[in-house]
Amino acid sequence: MPQQMQITAATVEPALLDLPWELPLEEWPPDVLAALPRGISRHVVRFVRLSGRIFAVKEIGERVAYHEYETLRALGRLEAPSVQPVAVITGRTDAAGEELNSVLVTEHLQYSLPYRALFSQYMRPETASRLIDALSVLLVRLHLLGFYWGDVSLSNTLFRRDAGALAAYLVDAETGELHDTLSPGQRSYDVDLARTNIIGELMDLQAGEVLDEDVDVVEVGNQIVDRYESLWAELTQVESFDASERWRVTERINRLNDLGFDVGELTMTTDVDGTSVSIAPKVVDAGHYHRQIMRLTGLDVQENQARRMLNDLDSYRAESDRQNDDPVIVAHDWLDEVFNPTVQAVPRDLRRKLEPAEIFHEVLEHRWFISQQQERDVPMSEAVQSYVDQVLRHRPDERSFLDRDTADIPAVD
């Protein structure tokens, strides 16, 4: 280890000291690297496995490394969907004493996928739309926190499966800035940049024959503008109605909950004669269903996964005639009798392919499909076995290694 090397970290990972910091990242030997897919990056990025965890190491200038490290830490404190910074390492020199670039170390997001891994030559057009939906939600969430990204793209985002949809995470904050609030101009710049970059990235996929040439990439890129603006308006716009229609206050809150947001504060004003009311959400927090399932079960899952699990929990409560029982006790029994047995019925060597909550969601989907096909109520144990044999065995391992081709769940013939 070079004597002048310095490690800046909130929590020190001693195993970092064992890495060959005297070599440029592109020369690191294969025996220290983890086989994970890398997205497109302006910088050299390598993955390493240390102490049972996987870290991403990015070679970058010292000033930018510290800026990104502090920005990611701030986003973490705000519970933003982003990767977690681990350390900045400076003062690197090679064997001849020549200076090497600093590096930023972040913890790899388990089960995450670069956007290229979500495409195959036979992908369905909906895959591109799901990417845009996920990136739109991510961008809105970041803007609500006052974060100006400045480099929005699919390449700077990681995606995790979320009950048939996708959840997006920021992975590159080199140009990011945190403000109290963002101006319309800052938000518009981020959205327009996202549109331009998405079109270019999808064109690149078409040129590489990864994306079908019939897909209108300009139309797909334009979708992020429409979806961002509609979501932003729903979360922030002022709504006016007649004073006699107070039920619309609850309706607005329910719409926001359905989108996965909790209303922390609502401003209500009336006109002079009291005949009309205006409402505007002031504090909107993402993760409505995530917080509910966390409170009831302690499980830390994605938003749509949580919604699906809560729906199944409601069905369990109704089928067992326990609507009046303590929800926490019912949820504990549902974990013991439904969720855990379903996941544990999957062979241990196959469980690493997907997150437990995603496996549970896919089993429920598979059970519904074969029940419809066979016109009978298929027992859960039978559904699990069918899912394992017909679906899961053929899926790539999304915890550690991902092939370039990532397929949708195949239908049962």
Side-chain angles (χ1 to χ4, degrees):
M1 182 183 71
Q3 292 183 353
Q4 300 301 316
M5 193 178 77
Q6 296 181 343
I7 299 178
T8 301
T11 303
V12 176
E13 173 56 62
L16 286 175
L17 299 173
D18 299 329
L19 294 174
W21 298 114
E22 70 281 1
L23 297 176
L25 288 190
E26 59 187 8
E27 297 178 11
W28 277 20
D31 62 315
V32 303
L33 302 179
L36 282 145
R38 296 191 299 270
I40 297 176
S41 175
R42 293 183 296 269
H43 309 283
V44 179
V45 178
R46 294 291 183 265
F47 293 102
V48 297
R49 190 186 303 274
L50 299 172
S51 305
R53 300 155 65 195
I54 295 178
F55 299 93
V57 184
K58 178 168 69 173
E59 213 161 40
I60 195 171
E62 180 177 337
R63 181 182 62 81
V64 180
Y66 277 117
H67 170 76
E68 187 168 8
Y69 174 77
E70 294 297 341
T71 301
L72 288 173
R73 288 191 67 193
L75 288 173
R77 289 191 291 270
L78 294 172
E79 298 184 350
S82 59
V83 295
Q84 297 301 307
V86 175
V88 171
I89 299 177
T90 59
R92 298 171 62 218
T93 56
D94 63 17
E98 296 293 326
E99 291 186 7
L100 297 175
N101 256 341
S102 302
V103 298
L104 172 70
V105 183
T106 57
E107 185 159 5
H108 174 65
L109 187 65
Q110 279 196 350
Y111 300 100
S112 63
L113 306 155
Y115 79 98
R116 286 175 170 264
L118 288 163
F119 287 88
S120 72
Q121 293 181 357
Y122 305 103
M123 74 147 228
R124 299 192 306 183
E126 299 91 277
T127 304
S129 295
R130 288 190 296 167
L131 282 171
I132 301 306
D133 286 338
L135 186 55
S136 300
V137 172
L138 172 62
L139 194 52
V140 167
R141 290 185 62 180
L142 292 173
H143 283 178
L144 287 170
L145 294 172
F147 181 76
Y148 167 73
W149 197 337
D151 195 12
V152 189
S153 68
L154 296 174
S155 299
N156 289 336
T157 312
L158 288 174
F159 299 89
R160 297 172 80 174
R161 298 188 186 276
D162 185 11
L166 295 169
Y169 290 76
L170 178 145
V171 72
D172 191 310
E174 292 177 27
T175 57
E177 300 172 356
L178 271 168
H179 302 269
D180 291 336
T181 58
L182 296 184
S183 68
Q186 288 172 311
R187 293 192 299 103
S188 295
Y189 180 84
D190 259 357
V191 175
D192 187 61
L193 184 62
R195 171 188 172 277
T196 301
N197 285 340
I198 288 168
I199 293 172
E201 289 165 324
L202 296 183
M203 284 182 173
D204 179 61
L205 290 180
Q206 285 184 327
E209 299 183 349
V210 177
L211 177 61
D212 192 283
E213 62 181 9
D214 293 333
V215 175
D216 187 339
V217 296
V218 175
E219 180 183 349
V220 173
N222 288 338
Q223 288 176 9
I224 194 167
V225 179
D226 296 335
R227 296 182 185 182
Y228 172 91
E229 290 180 348
S230 61
L231 181 55
W232 183 265
E234 185 64 56
L235 293 173
T236 62
Q237 71 181 359
V238 177
E239 182 178 359
S240 299
F241 49 88
D242 189 272
S244 63
E245 299 178 302
R246 297 184 181 182
W247 53 268
R248 292 180 62 175
V249 176
T250 301
E251 183 184 61
R252 178 70 180 276
I253 293 173
N254 288 340
R255 288 204 310 270
L256 294 174
N257 290 164
D258 288 341
L259 290 170
F261 293 83
D262 276 327
V263 180
E265 185 178 340
L266 198 67
T267 298
M268 299 178 59
T269 57
T270 60
D271 59 6
V272 175
D273 58 8
T275 59
S276 64
V277 178
S278 296
I279 61 171
K282 286 189 64 179
V283 181
V284 181
D285 298 320
H288 173 72
Y289 297 103
H290 164 85
R291 280 189 285 272
Q292 286 190 53
I293 203 70
M294 174 75 84
R295 177 177 61 82
L296 290 171
T297 67
L299 295 175
D300 185 5
V301 301
Q302 304 292 331
E303 185 70 7
N304 289 324
Q305 292 168 348
R307 186 201 303 254
R308 185 62 188 271
M309 293 165 69
L310 287 167
N311 288 340
D312 194 70
L313 176 55
D314 286 341
S315 298
Y316 170 82
R317 180 184 291 110
E319 290 169 1
S320 57
D321 194 22
R322 301 181 62 182
Q323 290 92 334
N324 297 323
D325 290 2
D326 186 324
V328 175
I329 295 176
V330 176
H332 182 272
D333 292 342
W334 172 82
L335 270 179
D336 286 345
E337 298 174 17
V338 180
F339 181 83
N340 288 335
T342 299
V343 174
Q344 291 167 3
V346 173
R348 185 179 298 274
D349 62 313
L350 298 179
R351 291 180 205 164
R352 65 182 291 117
K353 286 178 173 283
L354 293 171
E355 291 180 283
E358 191 67 17
I359 288 177
F360 184 74
H361 157 72
E362 292 196 356
V363 168
L364 294 181
E365 288 284 288
H366 188 75
R367 183 189 187 194
W368 176 87
F369 185 88
I370 60 178
S371 295
Q372 293 291 311
Q373 184 187 59
Q374 299 176 17
E375 298 183 348
R376 67 185 180 93
D377 186 16
V378 175
M380 183 64 88
S381 58
E382 183 179 336
V384 172
Q385 188 61 52
S386 174
Y387 166 74
V388 168
D389 294 338
Q390 299 187 40
V391 178
L392 191 59
R393 289 190 187 280
H394 309 289
R395 295 291 295 273
D397 184 342
E398 294 186 358
R399 181 176 180 182
S400 58
F401 180 79
L402 295 168
D403 292 327
R404 180 174 179 140
D405 296 333
T406 303
D408 293 290
I409 302 175
V412 181
D413 295 328

